[in-house]
Amino acid sequence: MNLRQLEQFLAVAETGSFSKGAARAHVSQPALSTAIGKLENDLGVQLFNRLARQVTLTAEGHRLLASAKTIVGECETVRAALKQTAEREVLSIGICDTMDLTSLAATLEQFRRNNGSVRLKVWEDNSQVLIDQLANGKQDLIFLAVTGDENLPSSWETRHLATENYVIATAHDHRLAGQKSALLAVLHDLPFIARRHCEYRKAFGKLLSKQNIRPKVTYRTSQDQRALDLVRAGLGAGLFPRSLVCSDFHVLEVEDHDLTRSVLCCWKQSKLSAGLYNFLCYIENMEFRGSIKHDSNN
């Protein structure tokens, strides 16, 4: 006995006719009669009384009827659920690789739990790659950390989420650990951990060159965690967005320059699907860790 046989059995039982049952089951009447006969042989009972102008259920047929309805009904429910899952909207989100993911990950998980009709697909990369991907339609929405030098198309929609400072981070036993702030010139001839992927790297380099400040770069890396580990180990100071630096480090504010970046999200207005609209509503209440200042106008 299989599901198809039960569906054909119900077709005959509920229509009271092999001809009508065949039409409902989308098979020929001889094929349906053969299938019902095989089912009866498998079960070892007669399910129908085959009269000249009417087909009725036997006692055994009535007993099978209730179970058949339950089994077929549950299978239809599973089919519908699987179809809905397969047809879920896929929302592709790009995240800048220099952003702190603590609060953002929590928002993504909360959205996923409350929006079962949307499947999230998350990609992490540098800002320029994400900008290119959104332009090419590979992402629906991107989170960027920008300094103002980026060239974003005017047709894109953007939402400013927060602004944060860059700070100098050192180990707690570093010679600068007694200071709360310092001039940028303090970095001159100081062992320094350089973040190659930092969005502020070019502007920071020009600023140092203009003031003839030459840090002693001891390590270059494109991984924030590795850079932080090196600073924690006392191998040099580093310049980081404030949200990336936890209590394991000593933090110095930069006195003579306002080094900041903005955290924002971008999307194309023409691609505002239901899933994207719902996600934008979620990020209205998103919070960022650290000393980031939120934009009160959004």
Side-chain angles (χ1 to χ4, degrees):
M1 180 173 59
N2 56 46
L3 180 61
R4 181 57 176 160
Q5 287 176 316
L6 291 179
E7 290 174 336
Q8 292 172 333
F9 165 76
L10 287 177
V12 177
E14 292 175 350
T15 62
S17 165
F18 273 89
S19 60
K20 293 180 181 178
R24 173 170 148 176
H26 304 291
V27 296
S28 66
Q29 185 172 336
L32 180 60
S33 297
T34 300
I36 296 299
K38 187 177 185 306
L39 177 60
E40 290 176 323
N41 289 334
D42 290 344
L43 297 175
V45 297
Q46 184 176 338
L47 300 173
F48 294 101
N49 295 309
R50 295 164 174 80
L51 306 177
R53 295 186 177 181
Q54 187 179 11
V55 176
T56 61
L57 287 168
T58 63
E60 292 79 3
H62 278 290
R63 292 184 61 184
L64 179 61
L65 181 62
S67 296
K69 286 183 177 180
T70 299
I71 294 171
V72 173
E74 290 180 351
C75 288
E76 287 299 326
T77 299
V78 172
R79 283 174 178 169
L82 291 176
K83 182 178 180 181
Q84 184 179 16
T85 299
E87 294 176 350
R88 285 189 302 172
E89 176 186 344
V90 177
L91 184 61
S92 296
I93 298 176
I95 302 175
C96 176
D97 57 7
T98 62
M99 287 179 59
D100 169 53
L101 297 182
T102 303
S103 58
L104 184 53
T107 298
L108 292 174
E109 176 60 16
Q110 181 186 19
F111 178 82
R112 184 192 66 79
R113 290 183 178 183
N114 289 278
N115 291 266
S117 62
V118 180
R119 181 167 66 89
L120 294 181
K121 182 180 178 183
V122 181
W123 180 271
E124 183 177 322
D125 220 312
N126 65 62
S127 291
Q128 189 55 56
V129 169
L130 296 181
I131 291 171
D132 293 341
Q133 288 181 340
L134 181 60
N136 295 330
K138 294 182 179 180
Q139 302 292 349
D140 298 308
L141 176 141
I142 56 177
F143 286 91
L144 300 178
V146 299
T147 61
D149 294 332
E150 297 78 8
N151 185 22
L152 301 179
S154 58
S155 60
W156 287 6
E157 293 290 328
T158 62
R159 179 174 295 170
H160 184 271
L161 301 174
T163 299
E164 68 174 326
N165 295 329
Y166 288 85
V167 295
I168 299 171
T170 71
H172 282 298
D173 59 354
H174 192 276
R175 65 181 180 84
L176 296 178
Q179 300 178 220
K180 292 184 178 181
S181 62
L183 298 175
L184 198 61
V186 75
L187 296 178
H188 182 71
D189 205 32
L190 190 74
F192 188 79
I193 309 301
R195 299 167 59 241
R196 291 187 300 177
H197 62 306
C198 177
E199 52 277 325
Y200 213 90
R201 181 172 56 86
K202 290 183 179 179
F204 182 56
K206 291 179 180 179
L207 192 59
L208 294 179
S209 178
K210 184 177 180 179
Q211 295 188 226
N212 201 29
I213 301 171
R214 297 185 178 86
K216 187 185 297 182
V217 177
T218 58
Y219 201 100
R220 299 180 189 273
T221 178
S222 58
Q223 299 181 37
D224 283 324
Q225 190 55 55
R226 181 166 296 177
L228 289 166
D229 289 342
L230 292 167
V231 171
R232 185 188 291 109
L235 298 182
L239 186 73
F240 296 90
R242 182 64 182 84
S243 61
L244 295 183
V245 184
C246 64
S247 59
D248 290 351
F249 302 87
H250 179 72
V251 173
L252 293 88
E253 302 291 340
V254 179
E255 295 178 2
D256 52 343
H257 294 283
D258 186 22
L259 308 180
T260 63
R261 73 175 187 176
S262 295
V263 178
L264 51 85
C265 61
C266 309
W267 68 94
K268 293 181 180 179
Q269 180 64 33
S270 60
K271 295 194 65 177
L272 196 61
S273 63
L276 179 54
Y277 175 80
N278 290 337
F279 186 77
L280 289 170
C281 292
Y282 259 78
I283 64 175
E284 286 284 356
N285 299 317
M286 186 161 51
E287 296 181 357
F288 288 83
R289 184 174 65 83
S291 61
I292 301 179
K293 300 176 182 179
H294 292 271
D295 188 344
S296 59
N297 295 322
N298 289 283

